[in-house]
Amino acid sequence: MRCILAVKMKAFFEVLEQFYKKVLLGATLENESQEYIFYLNPAVLAQDCSTAASPECSNRRGVQGRHQPPSTTLGTISVVSVCLKRHSPTCSAREIMLLQLTVIKVMITRILSVETDFHAKEKYRDIITILLKSSDIDSTLTCMFQNSDKLLCHMAAKCLALLLYFQMREEIALSNSWIAFCQTNLSEYPENEKAVYCLWTLTFIIKEIFKDTCSQKTEILKQFLTLFDTAFEVFYNSLFSQHFESCQDTSKIINSLICSLELLELLIASRVHLKLHFTCQRILFLKPSCVLGVITWPVQAFVKRRFIIFIKKCLLWKVGEDLCRGSGPALMPPDQHLGVDMLALADAVLQAVDLGLLRTLSVHGKPPFFGGDEVQPAHERVPGPDHVILRAASLLIIKSLEIKFQNCASANEMKVGLQNFMAQLLTFLKPHLQPSLQPHNACEWISRVFIEQDDDMVEAARASLGIYLTLIRECKAAESLTQEKEMCNHHTHEYGYNPHCVFLFLLKNIGFDASVLLDFLISSETCFLEYFVKYLKLLQKDWTDFFTICKYFDVTKSKDNINICACSPSLVQDTSSNQTELRPSAALGNHRNARASGSWVSDASSKPLNQLVMPKETPATLLADSPSPPRASQSLVDYDSSDDSEVEGTDQRTANSKQVSLHQEAVKKFQDTVGTSGDEREVSLEPQSRPLVPKQSNILFSVDWDTVPNNVSEVGLSSKTLKCFEELQSAVYRLQKKNLFPYNPTALLKLLKRIGATYNESMNAL
């Protein structure tokens, strides 16, 4: 008898397996749709596989008799189902049920795919529609959530999500029982522990909405979120208001935290990439202290890490970028709440830092790895801090400051906030940076903390540049006294946000290699194009400040072991035998009034960089061909016309919302910048029959190295920087000439040419 039962069980499995192979290939099914329903209904086997099913699930097991295959196979199938119930091991029933769920999943995926044959797709659609109408499959799958078999739970949640999405896409009404199940369990958390199953399903459904390419996905998501908007808000408040220390089973809370965080990220991503703004999509920004509070809980380090990285992505407006690559949805215009929400989150972060957030971060301990946090006994653990936490905490503060300053009323308010929070950040970082930061220049912290993460490093540099530009603009608007301006410049070095130092240390990190800058410009993974253009505009305006800082580094590199330009000895000469006094009046020539430098010359070489007095005046001869000061604006400023740049807005929050997928974002911002100039040909991304390349003499600069003095203590670092720029523009020009550059860089090349011309002027004046 057992042999007969085994043969019939094998026959059932083989039929299902053949069914799976056909669906996997997208083949058209020959038989009537009704014949396939029995093989797909998990209720036939659910009772056997469910080892921890609730009583209400047991009452639903009678559905397997509702629909049966034709009479030719009825005897076999009915006997097999009895065999599976009475005699088969649990693993056999489990394997068949997993295959059933897999077939349903693949079939719906085939329905959603544009590559599936039309006739096959219609057959699959008919089968799934009949399955939904003739069985209580959603209740069966919901009951499987409580199974002790995690793989079965996962497959059930994924299969249910696909079925529900199929119903919404086909405009089939969702099951009232499932809607009530989710709304009740979410609203009754933590008394009801089934909320996590609802989170699984909601997460899977929104992921499917993102993956689909249909045009009505926004309407589908709107329909879906309407059902659970209120319930999720209640769940959010209940989850984050718990007292973690008093909980007996903390593992359940941690599981709920991780699941809710994944769903929360999807909800915010749907706000970014689809034009919707439900309360559940804004809940983080409306009540940010709830999520920030988790970082202060005595939870495992990996939980804090997940939350702090999530908040960092929200501040950078990069939530959901992994979901939306390739066939992801197009970026929608920002909603009207964006500015207020980002400011609320930034304020909450800074308030948490003031209350001691940085002291609660687990920087030491076991660093997490891809395969876990345990190291084999034969291998020695490398000591050191968790650099992911260091980078995330740094970006949290500096990005929050940038957003906050865009809404500050006065320069004094910005100065106080900057000193407070940057002092806390640098104090937090210094113990973990070996060797320690130079006491006279904290600007190296960005390149030190972010050396292993290019995209975060550029984001930090861009944010610090935005802070500097906003602060300088407010100081100028307030017509500050000269002494106050000098003090402001002093603070840029003391608190590590001087843009010239930050950029020079960045160049040091990459060895002054122009090919790396070229990679950054082309890369879709950083915002370097935007940052680079803003910095080059500033460099035109503040060339004398940049030159003074370079001279300081050149003179003190041997004395203080700064050695910022040691990476390329070809342009650096030995200064050990040439300890000439640093004389900015001689170095800058007619670029500055003599009286402006007199008090500084005598003791410049003995002062730290943050005590240098920068030039009080910049001659018109240096700025005659330069545009106006850069602004922290929505898009890149038009560096081809100083007149146009004056009317530009100052709200950079809009820039952060323009996160078109990766490289398209940078290209679009570059186009928006140059697009205000008259030449339409310079901004086109359309394929061209031939590259639009201007005459080389009109767009490239060449440094006259014969005019560079041999005294490297005067011009070494500035020469090295300009040499890097010269190599960069040559490489960009060559690629453009071959029509290989991803966007038209003509305006960028013009900007580099102006920098080169400014440098040559300064060298000729020596």
Side-chain angles (χ1 to χ4, degrees), residues 15-35:
V15 171
L16 188 60
E17 189 175 32
Q18 290 298 320
F19 186 15
Y20 166 69
K21 290 179 179 179
K22 288 185 177 181
V23 174
L24 188 63
L25 295 173
T28 303
L29 303 175
E30 299 84 5
N31 297 341
E32 294 294 326
S33 300
Q34 190 68 37
E35 297 185 30

Side-chain angles (χ1 to χ4, degrees), residues 22-74:
K22 288 185 177 181
V23 174
L24 188 63
L25 295 173
T28 303
L29 303 175
E30 299 84 5
N31 297 341
E32 294 294 326
S33 300
Q34 190 68 37
E35 297 185 30
Y36 300 98
I37 302 302
F38 184 82
Y39 294 98
L40 293 180
N41 188 4
V44 177
L45 307 171
Q47 188 173 8
D48 301 281
C49 270
S50 183
T51 60
S54 58
E56 61 266 26
C57 293
S58 300
N59 297 330
R60 295 171 180 157
R61 302 306 183 192
V63 296
Q64 66 267 20
R66 285 171 148 189
H67 37 101
Q68 299 173 338
S71 56
T72 53
T73 57
L74 178 59

